[in-house]
Amino acid sequence: MAVISIERMGLLSVVCVFLFFTSAFAVDRGNFKTCDQSAFCKRQRALKPGQSPYRALLETLELSDSRLTLQLINDNNKVHLLLELYRLQGNMTRVKINELKPLKPRFEVPDVLISEPPTEPLSVLSKDDNGVVLSLGVENQRLIVSARPFRLDIMEGPEVLLSLNSRGLLAFEHLRLHKDTQAQTDGAEVKESVDGDQQQEEKDEGGERDKEEDGLWEETFKSHTDTKPNGPTSISLDFSLPGVEHVYGIPEHADDLKLKTTDGGDPYRLYNLDVFQYELYNPMALYGSIPVMLAHNTQRTMGIFWLNAAETWVDISSNTAGKTVFGKMLDFVQGSSEKPQTDVRWISESGIIDVFIMLGPKPSDVFSQYASLTGTQAFPPLASLGYHQCRWNYNDQEDVKSVDQGFDQHDIPYDFIWLDIEHADGKRYFTWDPHKFPQPKEMLQGLMDKRRKMVSIVDPHIRVDSGYKIHNEITSKDFYVKNKDGRNYEGWCWPGNSGYPDFTNPEMRAWWASMFAYDQYEGSMENLFTWNDMNEPSVFNGPEVTMHKDALHGKWEHRDIHNIYGLYVQMATAEGQTQRSGGVERPFVLTRAFFAGSQRYGAVWTGDNAAEWDHLKISIPMCLSLGLVGVSFCGADVGGFFKNPSAELLVRWYQTGAYQPFFRAHAHLDTTRREPWLFGPENTALIREVIRQRYALLPYWYQLLYQAHKTGTPVMRPLWVDYPKDTATFTVDDEFLIGSDLLVHPVTEEGSRGVTAYLPGAGEVWYDVHTFQKHNGAQNLYIPVTLSSIPVFQRGGSIIPRKDRVRRSSACMENDPYTLYVALSPKKFAKGELYIDDGHSFNYDTKKEFIHRSLTFANNALTSSNLCPDCNFLTSSWIEKVLILGASKPSKVLLKVDGKETTVDFEFDTSMSVLTLRKPGMNAGADWTLLLQ
Amino acid sequence: MTCLHLLVTLGFAVSLGTTVEVQRPRGVPLTKKHFYEENKPFTCLDGSRTIPFDRVNDDYCDCKDGSDEPGTAACPNGSFHCTNAGYRPMFIPSSRINDGICDCCDTTDEYNSGAICENTCKELGRKEREVLQKMAEITKEGFLLKQQLIEEAKKGREEKQGKVTDMQENKKQLEEKVEALRTVKETAEQPEKEAKERHLKAWEEQKAAIRLEKDKAKMAEAFSELDDNADGFVSVSELQSHVELDPDADGTLTETEVQGLMGGAAQVDTSTFESVWTNIKDKYHSESQPEEPAPVETPPDEVKEPVVDNDSEPYPEDDISEEDDEEEDDEDDYHEDDDKAPPTVKTPEKSQEDEEAMPPYDPDTQALIEAAQKARDDFEDSEKALREMDDQIRNIEKELSFDFGPDAEFTYMYSQCYELTTSEYVYRLCPFNRVSQKPKYGGSETNLGTWGSWSGPENNKYLVMKYEHGTGCWQGPNRSTTVKLTCGKETVVTSTSEPSRCEYLMEFTTPAVCQEPNNTERSPHGHEEL
């Protein structure tokens, strides 16, 4: 749910909140800062490249086994910085820059790295007055430290992979004292602002003549004044990527997958904000921030992880950006021209420079490198991969019951029904409205009887109300965020005047987690899960609808921690859900705000979108971008949150959402009801069909989530991830892969009669999953569509297990048999996996209770072999059918299990070359071979 | 791999207490038993293919129509039949077989899932019979009530129609009467007018005579005043002393000017003074009275007059509706018009000069006036009666124009209102008029829609009422309410809800929708099995 962007609002004007809802459907850009309105961004951006005042003091170089330290000096102001360099295991380099002797400690982001990253030895290859050459150990990789100006280059062989401060935009605003008295002594050439600035600074030492308009010690946006007791603290560093034309990541932005250059516009902004009715295709900040960028070309994929939780802006420029295709061709023909290069500059308001350079070289390497730092996607309960039915709001228990029955009446499966803010008693989370939901357990039991589940919303703003247990406990434990004067910070949110628990405090988080215990959260049961909304945090009457930067979290300012607040909320909530079952059951928590590492705690959705075709389209690049930086469990509100979708848009959105990882329909309070059966029997049938397709594919989704959990590989991914050398894939974001084996090109145009899908892979084949028709790879394929069409293709060479018996909910399908879809490559080969566990507990992890099998088709034999011999899990699921696409007709099919051979009936469809093996019947966990003779 | 019973033995009690055993594949209803003949190849019910009988219910879907797997979940489009002895037989989608949820009360759908189901058919049957019995009672009584309602409505309608006919007749008479009275009025007003005019004229003449006499007296007085030397003549010089007579008002009265006033004569005597007096009397100031006692023209004091405020007519108390601005044709609205303002009896106005007051009418004239007034009153009364009758006719005709159902069984609700109080609001349904909502603890009423139409399903549109165009919702549509009608003995709003923002749903029971109890009432048992 969203909030309005009102910069200033009287505390009593909650009515205004609602009045603003009626305004036009577009973000009010004026409520959010541009770079020019954000003092540090403006200062930093005013710096021009090529004049770095920083010099490496090579004599200070110290090298322990895996850590290199070196002092840098800003020749303008003589401030010393400390550079730390680490070679990390898994082909990564970490670069940390802090003040050598800061006036007080600067914030370093905790709780994002899963552990202190293991290092590898570094060694000095050569050293002279100009610099040092270090060996990075593998693949003749070297790190060159240049002294004057300071610069880092990472080389592999003769190639520069990446350079730091090559443009001289390193700028580190050191902590200083605020000495107003001297402010006027030498005000003449006052361009001082950023330490890296070329402006004369020697005179300035200790004598700040900061003009108020520089916003060094105070800054006002609209009516909100940010007092800055620490003065200017921003940092900046530039990165050059020779040979790179495509960069991705740094979500969350409602923009294309491939990041654009920001010359002449605002940089991409990372600052978690509750943006009311966000606009598409621009670099404005949204609900979450993951400061990770991927750079890709045909040779290599790399990543830059900028570990900083303060407000951050990212500038991107490219030396080929302005060039037309023709111009590029000309360059090529003439053999001339500079190498393409992308330059990136990161600017953050506070903290330190702490950068992880992930050197790939393959996309999958970058994923595992990033996963080794921040962890992988939480492995969700299987049911959470089913369909979720949400609305603001299901009015009461009766309403919940009738919607639940509606699904059965219309024979549509679903797993979760959701309750938004109106379910709580006066927006007091952890409580139930006594009139609308007087018997929550009865309601939950009713759902449990159908093997279904529920999610209730628990937001981090706490109603200030002395009759509210949660508020009283937080108050008595002094767990609220403080304002700059040390009193409890209060802001306006759904319940009215609200406090904000300090989730950065581990004690607070532990207490919060304990509130999810069954005896604490009254009316909760084991099939009740949680939704954390508004955790940017959203403060209706705060600057940019969020918390004041000078609010205090212990000794740190909100400025320092802003972007990680939402992560902590979800972390504490997920922890609570885990604890309530004694650590046995997996949690499911959805969050709107997020940061690097949020993938460890659950699912993310793209916030308050709208029932518009463009919003349907943008859901693809938005989730792809998140997947690239670790968050696989992503989805957009199906149907669009604001406004009413047409039946066609709704159907198309279901068809798209069913093939995205988190599949939830949601709607604003003011919209008309839109449960799947309310648009006439034909549309109901279309929606039923696509939800069933989703359920049939649950084994595949589950296996992919397991894989993401194990390796960090995205579930929903851009084509280039699997076809990294195919430049035609680099900008594709209207279609995507699920795992490696399904390619989806959703129909996202109104009235569409056809789509053109790019099928990648020269020499590969793709099978239409509905007709089994075979198409060649490396071609643009025009696919005529009707309203029932969902262009989905299975890659030749893959095996996908499905459960084609679709039931009321995923739990009901637990023991159902599998059908294997074996899609043969041109070389008559295919492989796949099958993962099975109980679907909900941690026993897969703690007791190795799972089945993980490799399925291989080669030499006319399909074999299931065990990928985890020491695992133990029993399933009653069996293999009911095997479809082999692109097969030829055998004379006989034999099944070998336990040394016994039986013949298997089969049918062969010559028109599509589909061989169907009838009821081989072996247990899904067994070793077996099917021989085609 | 699951082990499945191809055939099951189904035993169930019938009402006679005997047990009949019928063998057939699981999930097949008796009516289709003959398609499934053991040991003979089975042909899919859609005829698409024929398979060996051992592939029926073998947990693998062979028929596109799902007919080979009536007892397993193998086919996506199959259906499973539960006999539910003691209750009602039913079909469930085959996806609900062995899914761990008990769907059939006889537990037959969960034969291999580990779900522990209890046979609840007897209990359900009992309950259903109770409910059905209760429903039947309600229906029966409701239907009786409905007959009464129909009867009443019929009577009422006839009465009303009769009334309208009568009234139309009466209206005609009334119209004639109005015309007659108009003639009477006009006839009476003519002599009244003449008499009044006569009276006025006489009075005018009288007034003129008095004025003339007064003038003469004044003139004589002036003459003696002007004739300073008392020689019986008024000379130029004598007149010249009266500066106020200056014709050009320049402040001096010249001799020539005086001569002009005097008609050129040097002096005038009493008889010739008469023409001079005509010239000067308007300006002349008496010497004896230093200030002219000019007739004080007090402006008529309007404030004292009773103000007749035509707008402050009290509203009829039985209709305080604020929102009902659309179909406002209440008879009360126009019923006392200005023209009915009581004839103001002319009280003789207080005048400064008593002698100028008109003398009362003579008895003859007064009699004529009274006669005319009476004629007027009579006429107006009859006209009003006619209007009222028109209103009444219109109202009845409007009521008669509503669709009160095939047998007018909904007539009785007209002009009634039914309320339901919830924790927060009082909801009010006034059938064929409007639906409203009022906060229980103060606050203004919200219109949830005015009567729109019957909008039930095609086979019986009288099961749903639709009220539309209520108060607008912010950023949304106008409020509207759907009223679902069910059979009940009483006419009651049983529940309200707002399933979608500003779209309300009301459950409403009434005998008017009770169907005639089925004489060949089907037993709740699945006797068709036999």
Side-chain angles (χ1 to χ4, degrees):
Chain A
M1 229 158 321
V3 179
I4 28 6
S5 21
I6 312 171
E7 35 71 44
R8 181 68 178 170
M9 203 168 50
L11 284 186
L12 294 174
S13 57
V14 72
V15 175
C16 291
V17 173
F18 294 103
L19 288 178
F20 270 82
F21 270 110
T22 68
S23 60
F25 280 100
V27 67
D28 185 352
R29 284 183 181 227
N31 290 325
F32 301 101
K33 287 184 183 178
T34 61
C35 176
D36 254 9
Q37 289 166 321
S38 186
F40 77 92
C41 186
K42 188 180 181 183
R43 285 199 304 273
Q44 289 276 9
R45 234 191 172 196
L47 292 186
K48 295 289 167 266
Q51 298 160 322
S52 179
Y54 288 98
R55 179 160 55 88
L57 302 174
L58 295 177
E59 64 279 13
T60 63
L61 185 147
E62 285 178 35
L63 181 64
S64 70
D65 186 36
S66 58
R67 174 177 187 253
L68 178 144
T69 60
L70 181 64
Q71 288 181 27
L72 307 180
I73 184 167
N74 179 338
D75 279 328
N76 289 342
N77 59 15
K78 304 299 179 207
V79 172
H80 285 242
L81 302 179
L82 181 70
L83 168 78
E84 292 173 79
L85 275 172
Y86 300 89
R87 173 67 187 171
L88 302 183
Q89 284 178 20
N91 204 15
M92 289 181 282
T93 300
R94 181 181 193 176
V95 180
K96 269 175 98 168
I97 303 176
N98 197 352
E99 290 179 55
L100 182 64
K101 289 173 184 165
L103 278 180
K104 58 181 184 180
R106 296 179 66 117
F107 185 69
E108 298 186 35
V109 187
D111 301 312
V112 168
L113 301 179
I114 48 173
S115 61
E116 199 49 42
T119 56
E120 282 180 349
L122 276 167
S123 58
V124 175
L125 292 176
S126 67
K127 181 179 172 186
D128 61 20
D129 289 350
N130 295 322
V132 184
V133 179
L134 298 159
S135 166
L136 288 177
V138 291
E139 294 172 32
N140 54 28
Q141 278 182 6
R142 280 158 297 140
L143 176 68
I144 299 167
V145 183
S146 305
R148 185 189 292 263
F150 163 70
R151 167 181 171 138
L152 292 177
D153 291 279
I154 296 175
M155 313 266 307
E156 185 173 288
E159 305 250 340
V160 176
L161 301 180
L162 177 141
S163 311
L164 279 73
N165 201 34
S166 52
R167 288 191 299 153
L169 294 171
L170 166 64
F172 207 107
E173 291 181 334
H174 61 281
L175 292 170
R176 63 202 76 184
L177 296 173
H178 191 192
K179 291 182 182 164
D180 293 320
T181 44
Q182 295 183 27
Q184 290 181 334
T185 51
D186 49 1
E189 80 303 353
V190 186
K191 278 286 167 164
E192 183 274 335
S193 49
V194 172
D195 296 5
D197 198 299
Q198 287 309 291
Q199 302 300 327
Q200 209 13 291
E201 266 224 290
E202 275 95 38
K203 297 185 222 166
D204 310 342
E205 273 304 291
E208 309 295 349
R209 314 115 307 152
D210 33 287
K211 297 193 293 184
E212 284 312 314
E213 61 261 36
D214 285 339
L216 296 181
W217 296 90
E218 188 175 286
E219 177 176 352
T220 299
F221 178 66
K222 306 205 112 173
S223 56
H224 297 281
T225 296
D226 175 16
T227 67
K228 300 183 175 179
N230 296 321
T233 55
S234 75
I235 53 168
S236 161
L237 183 59
D238 67 274
F239 301 82
S240 291
L241 296 155
V244 169
E245 287 183 275
H246 294 85
V247 287
Y248 308 94
I250 54 168
E252 176 174 69
H253 301 100
D255 207 348
D256 294 329
L257 174 65
K258 177 191 184 298
L259 297 172
K260 295 164 181 154
T261 60
T262 57
D263 305 321
D266 256 12
Y268 283 97
R269 188 181 189 204
L270 294 173
Y271 192 57
N272 296 358
L273 291 175
D274 179 3
V275 180
F276 179 64
Q277 288 172 348
Y278 59 79
E279 226 176 90
L280 307 185
Y281 305 109
N282 72 49
M284 286 173 73
L286 284 179
Y287 312 96
S289 302
I290 300 183
V292 177
M293 183 185 283
L294 267 55
H296 177 73
N297 61 26
T298 54
Q299 303 305 311
R300 180 178 284 273
T301 309
M302 294 186 290
I304 299 170
F305 171 28
W306 176 265
L307 179 48
N308 189 299
E311 180 183 345
T312 296
W313 299 78
V314 184
D315 254 323
I316 298 169
S317 56
S318 159
N319 62 353
T320 56
K323 286 192 182 166
T324 59
V325 173
F326 180 73
K328 285 182 187 173
M329 237 160 65
L330 207 65
D331 286 347
F332 179 76
V333 170
Q334 293 169 346
S336 75
S337 115
E338 47 189 336
K339 199 175 175 186
Q341 176 169 315
T342 297
D343 295 305
V344 182
R345 184 186 182 197
W346 297 74
I347 304 168
S348 290
E349 189 178 9
S350 68
I352 64 161
I353 293 173
D354 191 0
V355 194
F356 298 81
I357 296 154
M358 301 172 282
L359 290 169
K362 295 198 301 295
S364 57
D365 295 327
V366 177
F367 300 138
S368 59
Q369 285 155 6
Y370 181 62
S372 74
L373 297 172
T374 65
T376 60
Q377 177 64 54
F379 189 33
L382 172 59
S384 65
L385 289 168
Y387 172 62
H388 299 258
Q389 182 67 41
C390 186
R391 175 176 180 82
W392 177 22
N393 214 99
Y394 286 118
N395 298 329
D396 47 32
Q397 282 179 226
E398 202 47 48
D399 199 3
V400 167
K401 197 171 174 182
S402 75
V403 170
D404 179 71
Q405 285 169 349
F407 278 92
D408 290 342
Q409 276 157 20
H410 298 91
D411 203 13
I412 299 172
Y414 89 97
D415 269 85
F416 281 81
I417 186 164
W418 292 53
L419 295 180
D420 208 323
I421 51 172
E422 312 297 332
H423 86 278
D425 182 13
K427 321 281 195 295
R428 295 174 188 86
Y429 308 110
F430 299 102
T431 72
W432 304 84
D433 184 300
H435 301 293
K436 297 170 186 163
F437 296 92
Q439 303 293 339
K441 283 196 174 179
E442 196 180 294
M443 171 176 66
L444 287 164
Q445 187 60 51
L447 291 169
M448 198 179 280
D449 292 345
K450 296 259 193 80
R451 309 183 74 175
R452 288 172 178 151
K453 298 162 178 63
M454 175 172 261
V455 167
S456 64
I457 197 165
V458 177
D459 287 351
H461 50 261
I462 300 300
R463 181 170 169 148
V464 173
D465 169 5
S466 60
Y468 179 25
K469 181 186 90 172
I470 298 286
H471 166 72
N472 290 340
E473 288 206 31
I474 296 173
T475 308
S476 70
K477 293 178 191 299
D478 200 21
F479 279 157
Y480 276 126
V481 174
K482 301 287 184 285
N483 64 26
K484 63 179 181 345
D485 306 320
R487 291 191 307 275
N488 283 347
Y489 179 91
E490 286 180 2
W492 204 257
C493 211
W494 295 124
N497 197 30
S498 306
Y500 291 78
D502 184 3
F503 282 90
T504 68
N505 177 353
E507 286 170 38
M508 154 61 207
R509 293 200 299 275
W511 173 83
W512 177 268
S514 73
M515 289 299 101
F516 288 88
Y518 296 121
D519 58 347
Q520 290 292 328
Y521 187 170
E522 282 175 36
S524 68
M525 282 171 57
E526 59 268 35
N527 64 339
L528 180 68
F529 297 82
T530 312
W531 172 15
N532 290 149
D533 196 0
M534 316 297 280
N535 51 339
E536 292 74 25
S538 178
V539 181
F540 292 171
N541 59 338
E544 303 190 85
V545 202
T546 192
M547 192 172 278
H548 292 72
K549 283 178 173 170
D550 51 13
L552 293 169
H553 301 256
K555 64 174 176 171
W556 301 111
E557 282 190 287
H558 184 68
R559 183 187 330 281
D560 300 312
I561 66 96
H562 176 86
N563 281 346
I564 199 179
Y565 185 85
L567 175 146
Y568 280 129
V569 176
Q570 193 190 18
M571 176 199 265
T573 304
E575 180 57 30
Q577 260 186 34
T578 306
Q579 279 177 14
R580 70 177 182 178
S581 67
V584 172
E585 297 294 321
R586 285 177 240 166
F588 171 71
V589 182
L590 178 73
T591 183
R592 192 170 70 180
F594 52 81
F595 189 64
S598 284
Q599 70 269 18
R600 304 192 296 259
Y601 307 112
V604 162
W605 97 108
T606 61
D608 300 341
N609 60 2
E612 292 169 5
W613 288 91
D614 276 351
H615 274 268
L616 167 59
K617 285 190 192 89
I618 206 82
S619 71
I620 300 169
M622 286 179 83
C623 278
L624 286 175
S625 296
L626 275 161
L628 287 175
V629 296
V631 179
S632 267
F633 204 7
C634 168
D637 285 346
V638 170
F641 177 67
F642 293 110
K643 301 170 80 176
N644 293 305
S646 65
E648 185 192 357
L649 176 56
L650 186 69
V651 168
R652 289 301 189 200
W653 212 317
Y654 270 100
Q655 292 174 344
T656 305
Y659 286 91
Q660 293 176 350
F662 177 57
F663 182 29
R664 182 186 75 152
H666 187 32
H668 188 278
L669 186 68
D670 289 332
T671 60
T672 46
R673 293 291 280 246
R674 56 167 95 140
E675 284 71 45
W677 49 87
L678 295 176
F679 293 79
E682 286 173 20
N683 292 309
T684 304
L686 291 169
I687 295 171
R688 177 194 299 123
E689 168 57 24
V690 68
I691 296 180
R692 286 182 169 191
Q693 288 182 24
R694 167 68 170 216
Y695 275 78
L697 278 169
L698 281 180
Y700 183 59
W701 282 105
Y702 194 50
Q703 170 202 320
L704 289 173
L705 261 300
Y706 178 72
Q707 192 183 31
H709 174 61
K710 284 293 170 192
T711 66
T713 319
V715 169
M716 174 182 168
R717 52 180 90 145
L719 269 55
W720 65 259
V721 167
D722 281 68
Y723 299 87
K725 293 189 187 306
D726 184 353
T727 53
T729 63
F730 289 5
T731 57
V732 172
D733 63 5
D734 57 353
E735 65 181 62
F736 53 89
L737 291 166
I738 302 168
S740 296
D741 302 337
L742 281 185
L743 182 139
V744 186
H745 187 115
V747 181
T748 57
E749 296 281 346
E750 186 169 18
S752 180
R753 293 170 169 277
V755 298
T756 301
Y758 179 69
L759 302 182
E764 293 194 24
V765 292
W766 293 87
Y767 297 87
D768 184 311
V769 300
H770 308 295
T771 63
F772 304 134
Q773 195 181 343
K774 188 162 73 175
H775 302 280
N776 289 324
Q779 67 152 329
N780 282 303
L781 179 69
Y782 180 79
I783 306 144
V785 298
T786 64
L787 199 50
S788 67
S789 308
I790 316 163
V792 181
F793 301 88
Q794 183 175 345
R795 189 175 58 80
S798 68
I799 300 174
I800 294 181
R802 288 200 218 169
K803 282 191 175 179
D804 281 337
R805 303 184 179 187
V806 173
R807 304 205 186 234
R808 266 178 288 207
S809 68
S810 65
C812 295
M813 294 162 68
E814 185 185 355
N815 298 317
D816 281 341
Y818 291 90
T819 296
L820 303 180
Y821 286 76
V822 181
L824 297 185
S825 72
K827 290 177 179 169
K828 306 291 175 196
F829 176 83
K831 66 182 277 206
E833 288 178 18
L834 178 59
Y835 175 85
I836 308 171
D837 65 14
D838 66 14
H840 55 85
S841 80
F842 281 111
N843 294 346
Y844 77 94
D845 188 35
T846 54
K847 300 180 182 169
K848 298 203 106 183
E849 289 182 359
F850 64 92
I851 292 166
H852 194 190
R853 305 203 64 87
S854 163
L855 304 169
T856 312
F857 185 96
N859 306 319
N860 277 327
L862 176 62
T863 307
S864 170
S865 54
N866 203 345
L867 286 172
C868 184
D870 59 337
C871 286
N872 56 88
F873 185 73
L874 294 179
T875 178
S876 45
S877 294
W878 47 289
I879 310 295
E880 71 168 327
K881 196 194 284 191
V882 178
L883 268 77
I884 304 174
L885 315 181
S888 34
K889 191 177 179 181
S891 57
K892 192 177 181 186
V893 178
L894 287 176
L895 169 66
K896 290 193 344 192
V897 188
D898 288 338
K900 284 178 226 159
E901 282 192 10
T902 46
T903 54
V904 176
D905 287 329
F906 63 89
E907 282 172 35
F908 186 73
D909 175 358
T910 39
S911 65
M912 288 293 167
S913 300
V914 178
L915 176 68
T916 305
L917 309 187
R918 186 188 188 280
K919 208 182 176 191
M922 56 285 195
N923 185 280
D927 287 329
W928 50 262
T929 300
L930 279 162
L931 292 166
L932 312 189
Q933 295 180 334
Chain B
M1 184 175 151
T2 46
C3 175
L4 299 161
H5 308 283
L6 179 61
L7 295 172
V8 288
T9 300
L10 299 162
F12 52 95
V14 292
S15 47
L16 295 173
T18 58
T19 296
V20 181
E21 288 186 0
V22 185
Q23 278 212 328
R24 60 195 140 123
R26 193 192 295 274
V28 176
L30 264 184
T31 50
K32 287 187 178 161
K33 185 196 170 255
H34 58 281
F35 293 116
Y36 298 85
E37 282 190 68
E38 207 176 341
N39 303 324
K40 282 189 185 169
F42 172 75
T43 302
C44 307
L45 297 189
D46 64 359
S48 59
R49 66 189 290 192
T50 300
I51 54 171
F53 192 76
D54 61 8
R55 291 194 174 181
V56 172
N57 275 345
D58 71 339
D59 207 14
Y60 185 90
C61 192
D62 292 288
C63 296
K64 278 189 178 145
D65 67 352
S67 56
D68 64 316
E69 297 294 318
T72 79
C75 294
N77 51 348
S79 62
F80 175 85
H81 184 264
C82 358
T83 310
N84 290 345
Y87 186 52
R88 222 172 337 140
M90 64 177 189
F91 286 97
I92 59 169
S94 59
S95 65
R96 295 180 193 174
I97 300 168
N98 289 328
D99 67 348
I101 302 166
C102 310
D103 290 288
C104 297
C105 63
D106 64 2
T107 77
T108 51
D109 61 317
E110 296 299 317
Y111 57 86
N112 194 29
S113 69
I116 299 157
C117 300
E118 230 178 284
N119 190 323
T120 55
C121 291
K122 271 189 185 162
E123 180 62 13
L124 282 173
R126 191 182 59 74
K127 274 189 188 153
E128 190 189 51
R129 279 189 297 279
E130 275 175 24
V131 169
L132 284 176
Q133 201 177 341
K134 212 172 179 184
M135 274 302 298
E137 272 165 33
I138 289 171
T139 307
K140 199 173 151 195
E141 283 181 52
F143 188 70
L144 282 177
L145 284 169
K146 180 179 174 181
Q147 298 314 307
Q148 287 175 23
L149 290 174
I150 292 170
E151 208 44 52
E152 276 166 27
K154 202 173 153 195
K155 241 188 264 167
R157 194 175 176 85
E158 278 162 9
E159 251 169 46
K160 283 193 177 109
Q161 270 162 344
K163 204 171 165 193
V164 169
T165 318
D166 287 355
M167 282 165 90
Q168 297 283 19
E169 193 54 42
N170 288 342
K171 186 183 158 190
K172 255 182 224 155
Q173 289 170 13
L174 208 49
E175 276 166 351
E176 281 164 20
K177 188 177 163 196
V178 167
E179 283 317 301
L181 285 171
R182 188 194 304 279
T183 317
V184 171
K185 182 190 88 161
E186 281 164 6
T187 318
E189 279 174 338
Q190 192 55 35
E192 177 204 31
K193 192 183 165 199
E194 286 167 8
K196 274 180 162 176
E197 277 168 5
R198 257 198 319 278
H199 181 81
L200 192 68
K201 200 177 165 199
W203 180 54
E204 292 291 337
E205 283 166 4
Q206 198 188 340
K207 272 201 291 189
I210 291 165
R211 226 176 282 139
L212 195 65
E213 255 169 57
K214 274 180 164 175
D215 194 42
K216 273 184 180 159
K218 254 189 184 163
M219 181 176 76
E221 196 184 334
F223 188 88
S224 58
E225 271 179 23
L226 286 168
D227 186 12
D228 287 342
N229 53 5
D231 62 349
F233 292 99
V234 171
S235 65
V236 168
S237 59
E238 282 168 341
L239 198 56
Q240 209 171 346
S241 64
H242 281 259
V243 190
E244 78 267 17
L245 302 175
D246 179 15
D248 61 2
D250 63 355
T252 53
L253 189 59
T254 65
E255 219 175 283
T256 331
E257 283 171 338
V258 173
Q259 278 169 357
L261 291 172
M262 293 182 62
Q267 58 177 29
V268 289
D269 60 9
T270 45
S271 65
T272 48
F273 183 70
E274 212 175 307
S275 65
V276 177
W277 176 241
T278 314
N279 288 341
I280 67 170
K281 65 179 174 190
D282 289 342
K283 295 179 176 175
Y284 178 75
H285 281 187
S286 168
E287 291 167 5
S288 60
Q289 294 153 290
E291 285 302 317
E292 186 186 63
V296 184
E297 287 190 23
T298 43
D301 197 353
E302 290 168 67
V303 183
K304 285 177 188 168
E305 277 179 45
V307 181
V308 180
D309 183 355
N310 292 322
D311 298 328
S312 65
E313 255 176 86
Y315 283 98
E317 277 185 22
D318 55 343
D319 186 19
I320 330 171
S321 59
E322 294 159 36
E323 322 261 356
D324 206 350
D325 36 20
E326 289 200 41
E327 292 181 49
E328 187 58 90
D329 45 6
D330 241 285
E331 77 242 57
D332 301 314
D333 221 49
Y334 300 107
H335 84 137
E336 282 191 56
D337 283 328
D338 334 25
D339 49 358
K340 208 243 157 190
T344 39
V345 183
K346 284 203 173 169
T347 48
E349 275 172 28
K350 266 198 174 176
S351 169
Q352 289 296 96
E353 298 160 83
D354 277 357
E355 71 269 29
E356 283 196 17
M358 189 170 74
Y361 294 118
D362 60 80
D364 288 351
T365 308
Q366 193 59 41
L368 286 172
I369 290 171
E370 277 162 18
Q373 188 56 45
K374 186 170 179 306
R376 262 194 300 275
D377 288 351
D378 289 351
F379 168 71
E380 279 161 11
D381 285 351
S382 67
E383 227 185 10
K384 184 191 164 196
L386 177 60
R387 262 197 316 274
E388 281 171 358
M389 181 161 288
D390 259 343
D391 285 346
Q392 279 176 34
I393 292 170
R394 219 177 317 127
N395 277 314
I396 296 172
E397 280 175 343
K398 184 189 165 194
E399 187 179 339
L400 290 171
S401 77
F402 274 102
D403 178 358
F404 289 128
D407 298 310
E409 59 268 45
F410 299 99
T411 310
Y412 76 103
M413 296 176 189
Y414 186 75
S415 77
Q416 299 292 313
C417 290
Y418 305 91
E419 287 189 352
L420 177 73
T421 304
T422 66
S423 56
E424 282 176 88
Y425 297 102
V426 178
Y427 290 88
R428 195 157 197 254
L429 166 64
C430 306
F432 306 101
N433 184 4
R434 61 199 293 268
V435 182
S436 62
Q437 173 201 54
K438 200 174 175 172
K440 211 161 147 187
Y441 307 105
S444 59
E445 192 183 71
T446 307
N447 181 356
L448 304 185
T450 50
W451 168 247
S453 58
W454 290 107
S455 49
E458 265 174 43
N459 60 353
N460 188 359
K461 67 172 178 170
Y462 300 102
L463 290 177
V464 178
M465 287 173 159
K466 188 90 189 157
Y467 294 81
E468 299 155 326
H469 309 299
T471 312
C473 260
W474 119 79
Q475 207 190 353
N478 286 351
R479 288 175 174 77
S480 62
T481 304
T482 302
V483 181
K484 285 192 179 163
L485 287 75
T486 49
C487 169
K489 282 188 280 186
E490 283 165 10
T491 307
V492 186
V493 176
T494 54
S495 79
T496 64
S497 58
E498 189 183 357
S500 214
R501 192 78 159 168
C502 301
E503 290 174 16
Y504 295 81
L505 179 68
M506 236 174 211
E507 304 271 353
F508 186 48
T509 63
T510 164
V513 294
C514 295
Q515 298 292 321
E516 188 168 8
N518 205 338
N519 290 332
T520 57
E521 202 177 327
R522 202 169 55 83
S523 147
H525 297 269
H527 285 316
E528 81 261 28
E529 284 286 303
L530 307 169

